Amino acid sequence: MYFTTDPKSRPVGSLPLYQTLLCVVCVLFLVLNGVSLVRNLNGLNDANARQARADRVAGRLQYLNLLVTDAESGMRGYFLSGSDTYLGPLRTAQRELEREFTTLQVLLADNPSQLKNLAQLRTLVTRRLGLMGQALEVYRHGGLQDILAIARTQDDKTHMDEIRLQVVIMTSEQNELLAARGAAFYAHSRRAALFGIGINIAALAVLVLFYNLIRRGYRLRLQAERALEQTNNGLENVVASRTEQLSVLSRHLIRVSEEEKARLARELHDEMGANLTAIGMHLSSVGDQLKESHPAQAEMLARARATLVDTVELKRRIIEDLRPSLLDNMGLAAALESYCQDFCRTSGIDCEALIERDVDRAAPMQAIALFRITQESLNNVAKYAKARHVIVHLAIEGEALVLEVSDDGVGIPPDAMRRPKSHGLLGMRERAALLGGSLKVGRGVNGLGTSVNAIVPLSTPAAGIEAEAAGKPALTLVAHKPEVAPDMAQEAESVAEPTAEKTTAQLTGPEELHQLRAG
């Protein structure tokens, strides 16, 4: 049975279209948010790179200014002392200034205005270094007086101030550019942050909506599952009730069948047995009388009497099949041993009966049930097992009768009890269940053959008075011999049952006839 809360059934695992669209929108929002985060990260990296480059430009400018200033100071020291040691800064400046200008040109390649300033600075520095070189040559050829004369005519301080001013201008412009780019980056980051917040809010809204939809779907599915569970529980209750009714009906039919068999056996024994015995005696008497005068008729009567003997034997077998007389007269142990002997003789299968004598304590209902289970088990062995040896073991363990019928045949399928046509096995199980017991059918020892195990309690309170009445002995036979002439007695004994049934020829009053019928 299939339950659904959707009027149109959908394939298993598919979502409604609106839920799929919500999922797609949520994924798009998350992708946009990721792209925005990547762009912000790239912008931050660019800003950090520009900041680092600006710092390098400022550092290079300051270092360049320092080289020129140190060279200036070194020249003055050389002029005053005449020591070449003071010319080290000048040589360093001449050696490193070109490299510094090249580095600055690379760092300011994306800023044309700064490149112009750098060119002006380069011109000023080059000119100042040229003047320093000229002063050095003058000092070496003319001495300090010539240098003083040149210093009075040249404005060295103005040259150095121009260089410093150009460095300050370039540094200020670089800082302004960095500040402008920082402000632009901050504005861009602010917009990106607001955009990301908006995307997150929209994504959260979509997620909340999707959660509500999933929750609603889960609630509907839970309701459907509960409805299905209630329906299944109802069906299980109905099946259990019907099964119990069928089980009760089956047990009732088994009881009724045993009662009917017992009644029919009594009828056959009481009525037909007496009539057949009387007919046999009359046929024997008439045959003796016609033997001399009408031998042909006497021969026909002899053949009729032989047919009657076969009929009596057939009646005896029918009665034994309906209700074994040994079970009621000699007990369960004797009945099972006799049946096993008959089974061995008729089927050719070696049948070993291991019956404990205390099993005769079993009540009539338990006795007939165990006998029928044994009978059905041996019939199955003869039909299907292809066995050579079978063992019937019955004993009392605790407060229960335990029956085991095992053979060395081909075995039984594991699902035999569940097959619809296993009426014999089901009947055995119902017989055991009728008395509060159980029955198991499976493989024998080491997986060979078949083993039927039945456990039946000695006392069956559930069976009640009806069960005891159903198990009432069918036959109570009294052994007597007819008091007639020797030849008549021989004829009567030939047609009587092995238990020496009492015949109507011996009845001397209504009380004895009533006793025979009640037995």
Side-chain angles (χ1 to χ4, degrees):
M1 186 177 295
Y2 175 72
F3 290 90
T4 177
T5 55
D6 193 353
K8 295 182 179 180
S9 60
R10 299 186 301 271
V12 178
S14 64
L15 290 175
L17 180 61
Y18 65 92
Q19 292 186 5
T20 305
L21 292 177
L22 284 177
C23 290
V24 173
V25 171
C26 185
V27 170
L28 290 177
F29 281 155
L30 294 177
V31 171
L32 289 176
N33 194 17
V35 172
S36 177
L37 290 176
V38 172
R39 293 184 60 188
N40 289 339
L41 181 61
N42 294 332
L44 180 60
N45 291 333
D46 293 340
N48 291 333
R50 287 194 296 266
Q51 178 67 37
R53 187 167 56 184
D55 292 339
R56 291 182 63 189
V57 169
R60 295 292 177 182
L61 290 174
Q62 294 298 328
Y63 181 64
L64 191 148
N65 188 25
L66 181 62
L67 288 176
V68 175
T69 304
D70 289 345
E72 182 74 20
S73 299
M75 283 289 296
R76 290 173 183 172
Y78 176 72
F79 289 155
L80 294 176
S81 64
S83 176
D84 291 340
T85 305
Y86 291 97
L87 294 179
L90 178 60
R91 296 189 185 98
T92 302
Q94 290 174 348
R95 186 176 61 250
E96 293 187 1
L97 280 175
E98 185 64 28
R99 185 179 64 185
E100 292 298 323
F101 279 115
T102 303
T103 304
L104 286 173
Q105 189 174 5
V106 173
L107 292 175
L108 298 175
D110 61 342
N111 194 338
S113 63
Q114 285 289 74
L115 290 177
K116 292 180 181 180
N117 293 333
L118 181 63
Q120 294 178 4
L121 179 61
R122 187 170 190 173
T123 301
L124 292 173
V125 171
T126 302
R127 185 177 64 178
R128 182 57 186 161
L129 288 178
L131 291 175
M132 287 182 186
Q134 292 176 5
L136 183 61
E137 292 294 330
V138 171
Y139 176 79
R140 288 176 177 174
H141 291 90
L144 183 61
Q145 296 299 326
D146 293 337
I147 295 300
L148 293 175
I150 294 174
R152 292 188 186 100
T153 59
Q154 292 182 358
D155 192 0
D156 295 337
K157 185 178 183 300
T158 303
H159 293 162
M160 291 300 299
D161 289 341
E162 289 178 354
I163 293 174
R164 294 188 186 96
L165 180 60
Q166 191 66 27
V167 171
V168 170
I169 290 173
M170 292 184 67
T171 303
S172 299
E173 188 173 348
Q174 191 68 24
N175 291 334
E176 290 175 0
L177 179 62
L178 182 63
R181 289 179 176 176
F185 174 73
Y186 175 75
H188 175 72
S189 299
R190 186 171 180 273
R191 288 194 301 271
L194 293 176
F195 181 71
I197 292 173
I199 289 177
N200 289 335
I201 293 175
L204 288 176
V206 173
L207 287 176
V208 170
L209 181 59
F210 189 65
Y211 170 77
N212 290 331
L213 291 175
I214 292 178
R215 185 179 178 183
R216 177 174 174 271
Y218 175 77
R219 189 184 302 112
L220 293 175
R221 186 179 67 180
L222 185 62
Q223 293 176 356
E225 290 178 354
R226 289 178 179 175
L228 179 61
E229 183 178 0
Q230 293 176 359
T231 304
N232 289 338
N233 292 335
L235 291 176
E236 289 179 358
N237 293 334
V238 171
V239 170
S241 176
R242 295 293 176 85
T243 303
E244 181 64 22
Q245 293 176 1
L246 292 175
S247 179
V248 171
L249 177 61
S250 174
R251 297 168 190 175
H252 174 71
L253 292 177
I254 291 175
R255 241 186 346 258
V256 170
S257 175
E258 291 297 333
E259 292 174 358
E260 186 64 22
K261 288 179 180 179
R263 185 192 64 79
L264 184 58
R266 285 195 298 268
E267 292 292 333
L268 289 176
H269 175 265
D270 293 345
E271 301 294 338
M272 185 177 289
N275 292 336
L276 291 177
T277 301
I279 292 173
M281 295 176 63
H282 292 314
L283 288 176
S284 178
S285 177
V286 174
D288 291 339
Q289 294 177 6
L290 296 177
K291 186 180 298 183
E292 298 295 336
S293 59
H294 298 83
Q297 286 79 3
E299 182 66 22
M300 294 177 61
L301 290 176
R303 289 195 297 269
R305 187 181 60 191
T307 304
L308 182 63
V309 171
D310 295 336
T311 304
V312 171
E313 180 63 23
L314 176 62
K315 184 264 301 181
R316 187 191 69 83
R317 290 199 304 269
I318 293 174
I319 292 176
E320 289 298 319
D321 290 338
L322 292 174
R323 181 77 179 190
S325 59
L326 284 178
L327 184 65
D328 298 314
N329 293 282
M330 304 297 293
L332 179 59
L336 288 178
E337 290 175 352
S338 176
Y339 187 80
C340 289
Q341 293 175 2
D342 293 340
F343 175 79
C344 181
R345 184 175 59 256
T346 57
S347 65
I349 300 174
D350 185 16
C351 183
E352 183 179 359
L354 304 177
I355 313 297
E356 297 183 5
R357 291 299 169 183
D358 56 352
V359 299
D360 291 333
R361 293 166 44 194
M365 197 64 181
Q366 282 88 346
I368 188 61
L370 291 172
F371 183 85
R372 295 301 186 193
I373 292 174
T374 304
Q375 188 179 35
E376 182 65 28
S377 300
L378 293 179
N379 288 337
N380 290 336
V381 170
K383 291 179 181 179
Y384 312 112
K386 299 180 182 179
R388 293 177 297 176
H389 186 75
V390 60
I391 299 175
V392 178
H393 178 248
L394 178 62
I396 294 180
E397 296 182 4
E399 295 298 324
L401 291 159
V402 179
L403 172 66
E404 181 181 3
V405 181
S406 57
D407 62 72
D408 58 353
V410 296
I412 188 171
D415 59 342
M417 293 291 288
R418 296 189 296 270
R419 291 182 178 180
K421 295 185 178 180
S422 301
H423 304 298
L425 297 177
L426 296 177
M428 289 191 293
R429 185 180 63 182
E430 289 300 323
R431 286 183 181 275
L434 175 63
L435 302 173
S438 61
L439 183 132
K440 295 181 180 179
V441 180
R443 290 283 184 174
V445 180
N446 298 326
L448 299 176
T450 305
S451 177
V452 178
N453 296 275
I455 300 177
V456 176
L458 283 172
S459 58
T460 54
I465 301 174
E466 184 180 1
E468 294 295 335
K472 185 177 180 181
L475 301 175
T476 303
L477 305 180
V478 182
H480 292 282
K481 290 185 178 180
E483 298 177 357
V484 293
D487 54 348
M488 295 293 290
Q490 182 178 3
E491 294 295 335
E493 189 173 357
S494 66
V495 296
E497 291 188 40
T499 55
E501 299 168 331
K502 193 173 182 180
T503 65
T504 54
Q506 301 170 267
L507 299 181
T508 57
E511 292 183 0
E512 192 172 1
L513 178 61
H514 176 73
Q515 181 181 0
L516 178 61
R517 292 181 180 277

